[in-house]
Amino acid sequence: MLSRRSVLTGLALLPVVARAAESYAIEPEQIAEGIWMVRGADAPIQPDNGGAIANIAIVDTPAGTVLIDCGPSLRYGLALKRVAEGLTGKPVIRVYVTHLHPDHGFGLGAFDPTRAAALPGTIAAIEAQGQGFSDAMYRILGDWMRGTDLLLPRVALTAGQEDFGGRTLRLMALSGHSSADLALLDEQTGLLIAGDLVFHDRAPSTPTADLLAWCASLDRLAALDHGALLPGHGPLDPGGTAAIAQTRDWLAWLDATLTDAIAAGLDMVEAGMLPIPDRFAGLAAARYELQRSVSHFYPELEAQLLPRVDRPD
Amino acid sequence: MKAMVALLLALIAAPAQAAQDYPADPLGSPMWRAHAQILFGDDPVRFDARVKVEFPAIAEDQRAFPVAIDARGIPGVRRMLLFADLNPIPVALDYRPIHAAPYVATRIKLDQRTPVRGAVQLTDGQWLVSGGWIDAAGGGCSTPPVSRVKGDWADHLGEIRGRAWPQQNGARLRLGFRHPMDTGLVANIATYHLDHLAVKDSDGRLLAEMDMWASVAEDPALTLMPDAPAGGRLLVEARDTNGRDYVARIDVARQSPIPARP
């Protein structure tokens, strides 16, 4: 007969025994000749998605496999490497990190560090802010992050192009979503891999954004001769223009709305509860990102827009 | 003998009162009773959803988390407290809206996942409490203020920005101070924060006043709703823990603001 204590002990042990480490489902979808995307969840970074919210691109080149971004954790990076190399039958020879955010570049530990490349501004930003992002990721994701160290891409890129045995990727050094944002154009298919400069049916996030610079970068992407567009978050845009227009529309609305909210005397709480126009009804995480953006921009905007009142009359 | 009985009764009654049965905490906070004893003592307490404690769904910045307490649906509010149970400095504001609508909004620091609560006291002495849990990363109270890291806090100390707009009843006053609001929990920087603020009308009549603690975010921002007419003038007087005085004069606009666009 079981004693009460042994039953209790057994119950306490059960969850530990039953819980194996969770794994990422990496399911590439072909979006152009020799290019696959791994779709991220259109959601905030949460334990139920392991932080796998960013879109990743796998490019098959004659010289080897090229990855654009590598996911949120070591575990993701390892799974991505296995799936990508299985798909192309070639080793990964280049990993681009489009910008500093952890959902895009924290899988680097799975790859040869001398193959990891980013804009100099991105490398500097990861060096300065990466530890804070890493702490936040461990706090939110727990075991998903096990073994994930903060690593810097070793190759500093300049705008131009890289040739991989005949398949050429054009590199564009832009900014606005962060201080340095890399966008890539596959010359062979015209596919534009926009990183987080473009969101699609998912509200843009702004923790490191400069809205003016971001809009200028979107203008450059819109003027570029390209085909389909892979956004950093959200579904592929086959026409290549809708997602750019939608991102620009949201950013312009956000800017005007926050400015108006301050002119109307609203507090941050009230600004975060403002109605979101119907045309954004299809954007995932819209309320969440509006409230985050209020936090990112409001104090500084108030300091600009409210007059000084501490002078004697 | 009579006096002795009275004394005995008082001795018996005193501990019983201090340990009054506060209502069970709907948030299940480990600190509810401890805070209730300190803040409410023997006053009657109940939870009441008419005290609207509003804040965003996520704490994007644990150094500056916006919170509003709106008790405009409750008559006879004389005092409003904003506190976070698990903060090392739990109480942020103690506000008395004397001639003002019972509404206050500000930004606070969060040191960990915690209940954030508003408590309002009515003229009859009873307290109505409401609030909710918010998840937050650590360190809101124990990391240095941005202006300390940048080193420019003293260059901007005492700058006050603000505006006031008429609304249906009284005015809406928005204020922003530059102040490091040091918690004393960061190495070698002593506690230093705004600790008192008063809003007066042009005749010097006290409309509202509050005590503040260092759990209010750096560069404190406030929304208050004093009774002041369109075109009237408001005087704001504040003092910090070093005895430095702050004065601002704000004219209430003659026209109500353009509502923020949807």
Side-chain angles (χ1 to χ4, degrees), chain A residues 139 253 256 260 262-270 275 288 291-292 295-296 299 302-303 306-310 312-313, chain B residues 56-58 60 66-67 103 105 107 135-137 158-163 165 172 174 233 247-249 257-258 261:
Chain A
R139 192 183 78 81
W253 170 77
D260 284 0
I262 289 164
L266 299 191
D267 178 75
M268 280 169 69
V269 175
E270 297 169 304
Y288 171 83
Q291 293 190 342
R292 291 184 75 201
S295 177
H296 303 148
E302 279 195 321
L306 295 178
R308 285 279 291 277
V309 290
D310 52 297
D313 53 358
Chain B
I58 60 154
E60 176 68 9
V67 185
Y103 179 98
R107 302 168 197 154
D135 192 17
E159 288 179 11
I160 309 169
R161 292 179 185 275
R163 274 179 84 177
W165 301 261
R172 167 183 281 262
R174 183 73 179 157
R233 168 162 283 201
V247 177
R249 290 176 180 82
I258 306 159
R261 77 189 76 179

Side-chain angles (χ1 to χ4, degrees), chain A residues 16-281:
Chain A
V16 180
V17 174
R19 184 187 282 174
E22 296 180 89
S23 62
Y24 293 98
I26 304 222
E27 289 156 358
E29 297 168 53
Q30 187 158 14
I31 54 172
E33 196 191 337
I35 305 184
W36 293 260
M37 72 166 169
V38 183
R39 275 280 277 126
D42 298 327
I45 292 168
Q46 292 166 171
D48 66 358
N49 57 39
I53 63 165
N55 294 333
I56 312 287
I58 302 168
V59 186
D60 182 7
T61 78
T65 302
V66 173
L67 298 176
I68 291 97
D69 287 330
C70 55
S73 62
L74 173 66
R75 192 183 300 167
Y76 187 98
L78 290 169
L80 175 66
K81 183 171 191 277
R82 191 171 60 246
V83 169
E85 290 180 347
L87 199 61
T88 62
K90 298 166 194 163
V92 171
I93 54 162
R94 172 64 82 224
V95 181
Y96 292 107
V97 175
T98 56
H99 63 292
L100 81 157
H101 292 153
D103 47 332
H104 296 262
F106 271 30
L108 268 190
F111 303 94
D112 176 353
T114 64
R115 303 281 188 179
L119 295 169
T122 299
I123 298 171
I126 296 173
E127 208 163 9
Q129 300 169 52
Q131 192 56 51
F133 282 118
S134 177
D135 292 348
M137 292 292 277
Y138 270 88
R139 192 183 78 81
I140 297 169
L141 296 176
D143 187 67
W144 286 106
M145 296 299 291
R146 196 196 311 164
T148 304
D149 292 324
L150 184 61
L151 298 169
L152 297 177
R154 298 270 185 92
V155 180
L157 296 168
T158 47
Q161 58 182 42
E162 269 200 292
D163 181 85
F164 300 97
R167 187 160 201 165
T168 305
L169 294 176
R170 198 193 306 173
L171 311 177
M172 287 159 283
L174 301 168
S175 69
H177 175 68
S178 72
S179 56
D181 296 295
L182 178 67
L184 304 96
L185 181 75
D186 175 48
E187 300 280 10
Q188 183 180 320
T189 63
L191 179 79
L192 176 58
I193 300 162
D196 274 7
L197 288 169
V198 180
F199 283 64
H200 191 204
D201 293 342
R202 198 276 186 203
S205 68
T206 59
T208 50
D210 173 337
L211 295 183
L212 271 179
W214 194 340
C215 288
S217 292
L218 288 172
D219 289 344
R220 280 190 55 190
L221 292 180
L224 190 73
D225 185 18
H226 68 272
L229 183 151
L230 180 65
H233 298 267
L236 182 79
D237 175 10
T241 57
I244 296 176
Q246 188 187 60
T247 303
R248 211 179 190 303
D249 189 16
W250 172 275
L251 296 179
W253 170 77
L254 179 67
D255 192 23
T257 300
L258 296 186
T259 304
D260 284 0
I262 289 164
L266 299 191
D267 178 75
M268 280 169 69
V269 175
E270 297 169 304
M273 297 194 304
L274 282 171
I276 295 169
D278 291 343
R279 66 182 190 278
F280 298 127

Side-chain angles (χ1 to χ4, degrees), chain B residues 3 19-20 27 49 78 88 98 107-108 121-122 128 133 135 138 158 182 210 212 214 217 220 229 245:
Chain B
Q20 77 153 301
L27 301 181
R78 73 173 196 210
I98 302 158
R107 302 168 197 154
I108 63 170
Q121 189 175 31
L122 308 184
L128 310 182
W133 281 93
D135 192 17
D182 293 308
M210 72 166 64
M212 304 166 73
D245 287 318

Side-chain angles (χ1 to χ4, degrees), chain B residues 98-153:
Chain B
I98 302 158
H99 297 288
Y103 179 98
V104 58
T106 191
R107 302 168 197 154
I108 63 170
K109 296 163 188 161
L110 296 173
D111 214 50
Q112 64 169 81
R113 184 170 187 270
T114 177
V116 172
R117 303 189 201 253
V120 306
Q121 189 175 31
L122 308 184
T123 43
D124 67 4
Q126 73 168 314
W127 288 94
L128 310 182
V129 185
S130 185
W133 281 93
I134 182 72
D135 192 17
C141 295
S142 45
T143 47
V146 174
S147 62
R148 289 274 180 197
V149 176
K150 281 165 76 178
D152 69 345
W153 68 271

